[in-house]
Amino acid sequence: MNGVSGKGTGLWLVGARGSVATTTAVGIAALSRNLAGPVGLTTASEDFAGVPLAAFGDIVIGGHDVGTTPLAEKALALSAAGMIDGALVAAVSDDLTAFDPNILPVPSAPTQQGEIEARALDILDFKAKFDLAHVVVIDVSSTEPLPAYRSEFEDRALLEASLATPGVTVLPPSSIGALAAVQAGAAYACFTPSTSLNLPVLWQWATDAGIPFAGQDGKTGETLLRTVLAPMFTSRGMKVRSWAGTNLLGGGDGSTLADPEAVRSKLASKNRGLHALLGNDVVAPLHIDHVPDLGDIKTAWDHVSAEGFLGSRVLLQTTWSAYDSMLAAPLVIDLARLLSLAQATGESGPMGAVGCFFKDPWGSDVHAFAEQSKVLVEWAQRVATRLPVGTP
Amino acid sequence: MNGVSGKGTGLWLVGARGSVATTTAVGIAALSRNLAGPVGLTTASEDFAGVPLAAFGDIVIGGHDVGTTPLAEKALALSAAGMIDGALVAAVSDDLTAFDPNILPVPSAPTQQGEIEARALDILDFKAKFDLAHVVVIDVSSTEPLPAYRSEFEDRALLEASLATPGVTVLPPSSIGALAAVQAGAAYACFTPSTSLNLPVLWQWATDAGIPFAGQDGKTGETLLRTVLAPMFTSRGMKVRSWAGTNLLGGGDGSTLADPEAVRSKLASKNRGLHALLGNDVVAPLHIDHVPDLGDIKTAWDHVSAEGFLGSRVLLQTTWSAYDSMLAAPLVIDLARLLSLAQATGESGPMGAVGCFFKDPWGSDVHAFAEQSKVLVEWAQRVATRLPVGTP
Amino acid sequence: MNGVSGKGTGLWLVGARGSVATTTAVGIAALSRNLAGPVGLTTASEDFAGVPLAAFGDIVIGGHDVGTTPLAEKALALSAAGMIDGALVAAVSDDLTAFDPNILPVPSAPTQQGEIEARALDILDFKAKFDLAHVVVIDVSSTEPLPAYRSEFEDRALLEASLATPGVTVLPPSSIGALAAVQAGAAYACFTPSTSLNLPVLWQWATDAGIPFAGQDGKTGETLLRTVLAPMFTSRGMKVRSWAGTNLLGGGDGSTLADPEAVRSKLASKNRGLHALLGNDVVAPLHIDHVPDLGDIKTAWDHVSAEGFLGSRVLLQTTWSAYDSMLAAPLVIDLARLLSLAQATGESGPMGAVGCFFKDPWGSDVHAFAEQSKVLVEWAQRVATRLPVGTP
Amino acid sequence: MNGVSGKGTGLWLVGARGSVATTTAVGIAALSRNLAGPVGLTTASEDFAGVPLAAFGDIVIGGHDVGTTPLAEKALALSAAGMIDGALVAAVSDDLTAFDPNILPVPSAPTQQGEIEARALDILDFKAKFDLAHVVVIDVSSTEPLPAYRSEFEDRALLEASLATPGVTVLPPSSIGALAAVQAGAAYACFTPSTSLNLPVLWQWATDAGIPFAGQDGKTGETLLRTVLAPMFTSRGMKVRSWAGTNLLGGGDGSTLADPEAVRSKLASKNRGLHALLGNDVVAPLHIDHVPDLGDIKTAWDHVSAEGFLGSRVLLQTTWSAYDSMLAAPLVIDLARLLSLAQATGESGPMGAVGCFFKDPWGSDVHAFAEQSKVLVEWAQRVATRLPVGTP
Ligand SMILES: NC(=O)c1ccc[n+]([C@@H]2O[C@H](COP(=O)([O-])OP(=O)(O)OC[C@H]3O[C@@H](n4cnc5c(N)ncnc54)[C@H](O)[C@@H]3O)[C@@H](O)[C@H]2O)c1
Ligand SMILES: NC(=O)c1ccc[n+]([C@@H]2O[C@H](COP(=O)([O-])OP(=O)(O)OC[C@H]3O[C@@H](n4cnc5c(N)ncnc54)[C@H](O)[C@@H]3O)[C@@H](O)[C@H]2O)c1
Ligand SMILES: NC(=O)c1ccc[n+]([C@@H]2O[C@H](COP(=O)([O-])OP(=O)(O)OC[C@H]3O[C@@H](n4cnc5c(N)ncnc54)[C@H](O)[C@@H]3O)[C@@H](O)[C@H]2O)c1
Ligand SMILES: NC(=O)c1ccc[n+]([C@@H]2O[C@H](COP(=O)([O-])OP(=O)(O)OC[C@H]3O[C@@H](n4cnc5c(N)ncnc54)[C@H](O)[C@@H]3O)[C@@H](O)[C@H]2O)c1
Ligand code: NA
Ligand code: NA
């Protein structure tokens, strides 16, 4: 963020060897080397021209993952699947290899409290090692099943006791990862529909700690489209009666979501915006199907039926088709830049201002995308004025 | 607009026996009798709750048409084609018959100046007869071919001379109709892509006359969708490379547009917003095909190809299908209410504030629909404060 | 079938007051009165010109239903939902009322054997009353859940014992209805995916009885399309990798299929043809969603991904949209005519020749629609030669 | 065709350096080296198991082209555009380079007769050089505008005189190429919609010469789909009222067809099958748009509206998307094998038997694809019996 002092921005990815993470790493390297333009990035637009955001070359990647595949190898696989251009992967291969030692296995410990501390330590080591001004932790790991209710979810003392008891697993991994960010004083974003900070006690915990945090579940394809289209019907006074959707995808995320438990949190998250925008009467069946041969391309069909003037019918079908990780990665980079700005400008708590990036925006009730985009630009321009002139 | 004084709002339709006009008349009648809710109307939303707009029952319909089919008969035909519910048409049949005498043949005269005056007189008679506070003239007649350039289009003196010369046809019918509104001191809106006031000299003429005027070409289906979707790509930093479209329709408008001359103005108008939003490099082939068996249902397929992160491809297809006049009629009613408000509050000149209703918004460069909708609400709430309390 | 002797064809519908049945009744009446041409009927084509099939006016409708709504009332409801033209319904209302007394409640009895006999008696009474040459029983009742396995399903003696035991329910209603047809010596067709004769012991029973029988589950929309398209890929040597489908529908059938138990038999039946044509490796997720506001229009989206030359990808999407009962009813009439011909010409056992009408064709392994259509025409022309000249 | 004698099959391509030709060459090489399976080839199916067709390794490629880009370079470009796998292109690069000297510039001569002779000589040299049993000439060059009528088109003597007159251009290039095949005694197929043999005098000329010839215009994507779907409607007795289509494509063929003259022959050819199958009343607007950013992927949207039972509407939309040359190349290989078989078995004249490969099948009125496929298999199996046992 500040070229003069040499202090960069750290991007600590939970799930750092996955498809979204690898695409992010390739992207950071390609942008730094000017091998690609900043297409697909919100923060590269004119609207952010005066806002001091981290230069791509000043972003260092680290993270945790349960897997061990080297980034360069994963990138090759994505290239073989047609997702990333082979020449580009070859050109950034050395950068990927340079990131690799920053990606550590998820540490284990006798208690979950111990796990949180070990993870936080990894983050702080990373910060120190690269002399970083800020670290932004972003969870891009596999979607988890939602946990069954426990009384600890509403009572911090109870929770801390369980966290400190050896052998007790009270929180899911995503929440442990989020608390590690809290403990390390890092900004945090949850790009998945997993539990994360989304429990009353954890929400309060992060708020008290004063970090800026953002979520939840990246709004990339079909859901983005829906929060663009639904306000159109509302503005024109039409009543949407049904909005049916089917998603087809292969790839890593596709096979995770083939699990009916894991898919539940995703489906809930995907439909939240629709109901917020159109009311709860809208009939909205939604499916995610695992179709291996489609690879990393997500194809989504939506069928919308609305009542128009004098009871007439208005029908809209959409088919969206894109490499899912190619939509997600630039948002991860946007979030790294924006949350780093938030931290530099003293923002804290749930960051409704970045709600345009999420299916289920924390700290905001706004789902309409155009309105969210406006809110973001206004926020960025406003907080930027708090920084000393010449930054970065 | 003012129930107490009994002074209503006149809606003078040019092309008053066409499909859009008839649907508008059925709608006004149905809304007045509470046989239908105000679905599809922008001005019926919460956002306009405090704005004193004409009650549906206070709107009286009149107009000009070259045809003579009674409204009730036309409505029956639209019902037989599946567009309007038969029971509804039956229930408002008497109201339609009551409107019929207000719809006059287009008067002829030895000079075009004479035509303007005769038309203006018809409007003023209508106003007097029904003791109307305001008259809003809206052109919903058949789309005309665009005229070849003439030097009169830039020189008022030259133009007036030609208008006064017997046998000379210097302006197309849509412009004559617009000047009649100017002469009658009525508010005016052009719902078609025809020439209308869209010539330098006429634009100035209407501005000098101090009437509020709005245009051009109702933004109802595919074009609405496009101005909703294009900003999504822009906000996400993607580069739209091509946006191809095909429209299929039967009905009256469909057969008019089967004429390659007439369709030219429509196609130009349809693509204007796209280029304004995405730049002129976007490849945007567009077709309107006359497919009689589809009747009044317009079906539009769009295929969008964008460049996303790291050169990846994002594809979107949309298929929109609706009764075209059912989309248009509520906008005509919205415009009647809003331009009547404009006149009541002393607004004049091109009304950029109602740009959300048009493919090619006069007095505004904004095409993004969400932004346009916001502008409209803010305008309506602002001018409303100028009215005495208790209005209407 | 034989105008001279006055002996007509009886069409006995199980589920005679449902949507398909009512549409069939309206159709028979409209065709008899020449109020509609035979559009949508396979047997009205040139290919059947020389085949002596029952005239529409010689078909008499009767049946069983658990409901009691008069046919004319049901037809009005279908008309109000936009499915049948109101004027047509009015014009045939008296005919529908004339059919009504032929539609009886499903008789009950202490044993299932008693139920079979009572139903068979109703059919024979119908035959006698109208002096019918043949009766064709067609099941168009609500789709049932599939029953759990029982040893009676494979052992006739065991089954007969259970059928004769008061209070024991060994067979689902569709099988009782089918055995009633067997007992009455009527031709039989199962238009639903319910159990019907599809149990080893019943299949044998019907075969032994010498009636012609046909099934199963009408091939009307998406499935028809699939058995037309799949052979295209095969003929061109392409390998279909996935074929995903989503069906949206409201109406009576839609609400029945909203039940996860009932939908299971439907889904299995729908996918059978696909796997028969393309092999079991094809990934074929399939959904049926109940979307009430769509009414009786079924909308189906399919997404096909195939491997072409040198590993290249071929993608096909289809969206099919039609009133489901309007597709089904003409097939019911075709089946009545064809099975009556079968009986008149001494055919018996599973009628593979009419496989083109079914998702899961009994007595045939052919699913490719073009081939099925050819088989049907050849069969009809062949058996027709067995009839005395001048028939019907 | 005959491994023992070493005599292979020559495939002489007019337009041998284009996209279809290059894909064909890559394919032949890949199939010969077992680097790819015969997916996409009709002649690789079980149905042709007993038919003695040329082994892939026995096919030698040569041809004419006005361009000079080496095949390997063109293949690299197609690979860069995402069409062919890069590793595959690398693996067959030497084979492509080996084909290169067989592809000659189009010879010029003072008269068109001289051109024909020079071209025929090139073909005969090729045949001799590689000791080929048969040469099949296939035109895959750029689509030409259709020529204006001339009296020579109906009178051989007149035509021969003009052909022999220096400086006179009476026939378009495609016809010259076809006559060269006739003169060389080669089998011939026209894969384009250009004039070729499609003039009365040339048709007779080729017939008299006794070569087997086939055409016209490869049936690969949308048109294939149409001739599969149209018979479905007919078999079910539905009346198709309109069939609208839009094709989007970039690539070489896309830019050729952006020329309104060139596209005319294509559009006529594309709609011929539809009208043959459904009658001339079908409203069938059709567009081909040049959309450069889509590259070699052709995307076609079709919208079909049919009248079903009792006047109800049936709607079908299809979107087809594939690399056009990947669909065409296997058909070119199929045709090479089948026309070589035709020649080996003494067939001559227009080869209706291979009509399934063409939009406008010469020597056949059958357009329905399923029926065409059946005809082909039966023909191949029948003529195969004429060959001595043990061939090839
Ligand atoms: N457009 C998008 O791609 C998009 C949009 C919204 C949300 N998301 C979410 O982003 C996440 C990542 O998607 P992806 O396609 O990269 O999936 P992926 O399966 O390719 O990657 C997930 C990675 O997380 C790792 N992981 C699993 N459990 C872990 C744990 N407990 N701790 C640390 N790492 C762990 C895995 O080893 C893997 O490397 C998913 O939850 C997905 O739902 C993606
Ligand atoms: N969604 C929509 O329906 C929509 C959207 C945008 C614009 N428009 C425009 O609205 C207009 C009306 O559409 P429609 O579907 O009602 O068409 P229509 O053909 O049904 O009606 C046009 C009417 O105009 C009348 N007319 C023709 N020339 C006239 C003249 N010189 N003076 C007075 N009347 C004349 C005709 O007699 C007819 O009654 C068209 O120009 C159309 O392009 C419609
Ligand atoms: N295109 C199509 O419409 C189509 C295609 C294939 C199969 N089918 C099948 O046809 C059947 C009828 O469809 P529908 O849309 O007419 O449904 P529906 O719900 O409108 O009608 C079903 C009728 O069956 C009656 N019924 C229920 N249980 C019965 C019983 N035990 N005995 C006698 N009658 C009984 C009901 O009262 C109702 O009148 C369904 O099973 C459906 O799956 C329809
Ligand atoms: N699916 C398909 O790809 C498909 C289907 C049907 C028909 N076709 C037809 O196949 C033809 C080839 O398509 P393509 O995509 O390979 O096009 P292309 O533009 O890539 O190739 C055409 C080649 O023909 C050459 N050529 C031009 N004029 C010539 C002449 N007079 N003599 C010899 N060569 C000449 C050009 O130099 C070029 O190499 C086109 O006519 C196209 O309409 C293709
Ligand atoms: Na079978
Ligand atoms: Na032909």
Side-chain angles (χ1 to χ4, degrees), chain C:
Chain C
M1 193 137 204
N2 191 325
V4 177
S5 80
K7 292 192 152 196
T9 292
L11 170 52
W12 186 265
L13 298 170
V14 183
R17 302 191 179 285
S19 182
V20 171
T22 304
T23 310
T24 301
V26 171
I28 289 281
L31 290 164
S32 301
R33 292 189 178 280
N34 270 314
L35 298 171
V39 178
L41 283 145
T42 298
T43 53
S45 94
E46 284 297 292
D47 293 330
F48 295 84
V51 179
L53 295 164
F56 301 122
D58 289 343
I59 301 177
V60 186
I61 290 184
H64 281 133
D65 200 301
V66 294
T68 57
T69 316
L71 277 186
E73 196 179 298
K74 176 79 185 179
L76 269 181
L78 295 175
S79 163
M83 195 173 105
I84 319 186
D85 181 55
L88 187 63
V89 169
V92 302
S93 188
D94 289 351
D95 300 292
L96 299 181
T97 302
F99 288 142
D100 255 329
N102 307 342
I103 305 179
L104 309 178
V106 179
S108 59
T111 64
Q112 287 201 302
Q113 182 56 39
E115 286 174 25
I116 295 169
E117 277 154 25
R119 286 182 173 225
L121 222 59
D122 286 345
I123 298 171
L124 291 170
D125 282 353
F126 171 67
K127 190 171 184 224
K129 180 170 171 198
F130 292 97
D131 190 20
L132 304 166
H134 307 284
V135 175
V136 179
V137 173
I138 305 189
D139 185 350
V140 290
S141 66
S142 314
T143 296
E144 302 165 355
L146 294 181
Y149 174 80
R150 296 178 64 131
S151 46
E152 284 97 335
F153 294 174
E154 305 190 41
D155 182 331
R156 176 134 172 208
L158 221 56
L159 175 65
E160 295 200 18
S162 293
L163 287 173
T165 310
V168 168
T169 298
V170 58
L171 290 178
S174 61
S175 301
I176 298 299
L179 287 181
V182 170
Q183 175 123 350
Y188 171 81
C190 182
F191 207 77
T192 82
S194 302
T195 306
S196 178
L197 292 176
N198 209 7
L199 295 172
V201 67
L202 299 185
W203 189 270
Q204 195 54 50
W205 192 331
T207 306
D208 294 347
I211 63 156
F213 57 94
Q216 174 173 27
D217 201 6
K219 179 157 88 170
T220 47
E222 184 199 41
T223 326
L224 172 63
L225 203 56
R226 289 171 159 206
T227 60
V228 167
L229 290 170
M232 173 187 77
F233 290 100
T234 310
S235 288
R236 278 288 196 244
M238 301 180 198
K239 304 271 177 241
V240 176
R241 294 294 177 215
S242 60
W243 199 307
T246 295
N247 290 267
L248 313 178
L249 78 162
D253 200 27
S255 76
T256 304
L257 295 174
D259 167 14
E261 276 309 306
V263 84
R264 201 167 306 162
S265 53
K266 194 73 174 187
L267 291 174
S269 176
K270 281 179 82 82
N271 262 353
R272 206 157 290 150
L274 209 60
H275 288 304
L277 288 165
L278 299 172
N280 284 317
D281 289 350
V282 176
V283 173
L286 184 61
H287 308 283
I288 301 179
D289 290 321
H290 184 224
V291 181
D293 85 289
L294 298 183
D296 291 285
I297 295 183
K298 162 101 74 66
T299 299
W301 176 70
D302 272 28
H303 181 280
V304 189
S305 171
E307 182 190 332
F309 196 51
L310 304 181
S312 67
R313 177 165 290 170
V314 176
L315 293 176
L316 173 63
Q317 290 177 55
T318 60
T319 304
W320 171 270
S321 169
Y323 284 103
D324 227 19
S325 299
M326 282 292 189
L327 300 173
L331 274 54
V332 170
I333 299 174
D334 282 329
L335 282 166
R337 301 177 93 195
L338 292 164
L339 291 183
S340 166
L341 174 70
Q343 210 165 38
T345 59
E347 297 280 288
S348 71
M351 299 291 304
V354 295
C356 67
F357 297 108
F358 297 106
K359 291 192 185 73
D360 191 7
W362 289 350
S364 165
D365 288 336
V366 181
H367 284 267
F369 181 66
E371 197 177 336
Q372 291 177 324
S373 300
K374 207 162 177 292
V375 164
L376 174 64
V377 170
E378 286 168 2
W379 171 82
Q381 291 176 344
R382 194 177 65 245
V383 300
T385 61
R386 293 188 205 147
L387 288 173
V389 175
T391 318

Side-chain angles (χ1 to χ4, degrees), chain D residues 59-385:
Chain D
I59 300 176
V60 187
I61 289 183
H64 282 131
D65 201 299
V66 295
T68 57
T69 317
L71 277 187
E73 198 179 298
K74 175 80 184 176
L76 269 181
L78 294 176
S79 162
M83 194 173 103
I84 319 185
D85 181 56
L88 186 65
V89 169
V92 301
S93 187
D94 289 353
D95 300 292
L96 300 181
T97 304
F99 289 141
D100 254 331
N102 307 342
I103 305 178
L104 309 177
V106 180
S108 57
T111 64
Q112 286 202 304
Q113 182 56 40
E115 286 174 25
I116 295 168
E117 277 154 24
R119 285 180 175 227
L121 222 59
D122 285 346
I123 297 170
L124 291 169
D125 281 354
F126 171 68
K127 187 169 185 225
K129 180 171 172 202
F130 291 98
D131 189 21
L132 302 167
H134 307 284
V135 175
V136 179
V137 174
I138 304 189
D139 185 349
V140 289
S141 67
S142 313
T143 296
E144 301 166 358
L146 294 181
Y149 174 81
R150 296 178 65 129
S151 46
E152 285 97 335
F153 295 175
E154 305 189 43
D155 181 330
R156 176 130 174 212
L158 221 58
L159 175 64
E160 293 199 20
S162 294
L163 287 173
T165 311
V168 168
T169 299
V170 58
L171 290 178
S174 60
S175 301
I176 299 299
L179 287 180
V182 171
Q183 175 123 349
Y188 171 80
C190 181
F191 206 77
T192 82
S194 302
T195 307
S196 177
L197 292 176
N198 208 6
L199 295 172
V201 66
L202 300 184
W203 188 271
Q204 194 55 49
W205 191 330
T207 305
D208 293 348
I211 63 155
F213 56 95
Q216 170 175 29
D217 200 6
K219 179 156 86 170
T220 47
E222 184 199 40
T223 326
L224 172 61
L225 202 56
R226 288 170 159 210
T227 60
V228 167
L229 289 170
M232 173 188 75
F233 290 100
T234 310
S235 288
R236 278 287 195 244
M238 301 180 199
K239 306 273 176 238
V240 175
R241 295 291 176 216
S242 61
W243 198 307
T246 296
N247 290 267
L248 313 178
L249 78 163
D253 199 27
S255 77
T256 303
L257 295 175
D259 168 13
E261 275 311 307
V263 84
R264 201 166 308 162
S265 54
K266 194 71 174 188
L267 290 175
S269 174
K270 281 179 82 81
N271 262 354
R272 208 157 288 152
L274 209 59
H275 288 303
L277 288 165
L278 298 173
N280 282 320
D281 289 349
V282 177
V283 173
L286 184 61
H287 308 283
I288 301 180
D289 292 320
H290 185 224
V291 181
D293 82 290
L294 297 182
D296 291 285
I297 294 184
K298 162 102 71 68
T299 299
W301 176 70
D302 272 28
H303 181 280
V304 188
S305 170
E307 182 191 331
F309 195 51
L310 302 181
S312 67
R313 177 165 287 168
V314 176
L315 294 175
L316 172 64
Q317 289 177 56
T318 60
T319 305
W320 170 271
S321 169
Y323 283 104
D324 228 19
S325 299
M326 281 293 188
L327 299 174
L331 273 53
V332 171
I333 299 174
D334 281 328
L335 282 166
R337 301 176 93 196
L338 291 164
L339 291 183
S340 166
L341 173 70
Q343 210 164 38
T345 59
E347 297 280 289
S348 71
M351 299 290 305
V354 296
C356 68
F357 297 109
F358 297 106
K359 291 191 186 71
D360 192 7
W362 289 350
S364 165
D365 289 335
V366 182
H367 284 267
F369 181 65
E371 197 177 336
Q372 291 176 323
S373 298
K374 205 160 178 293
V375 165
L376 173 64
V377 170
E378 286 169 1
W379 171 83
Q381 289 176 347
R382 193 177 65 244
V383 300
T385 60

Side-chain angles (χ1 to χ4, degrees), chain B residues 18-20 65 140-143 191-192 217-218 220 253 266 324:
Chain B
S19 180
V20 171
D65 201 299
V140 290
S141 66
S142 313
T143 297
F191 206 77
T192 81
D217 200 7
T220 47
D253 201 27
K266 194 72 175 187
D324 227 19

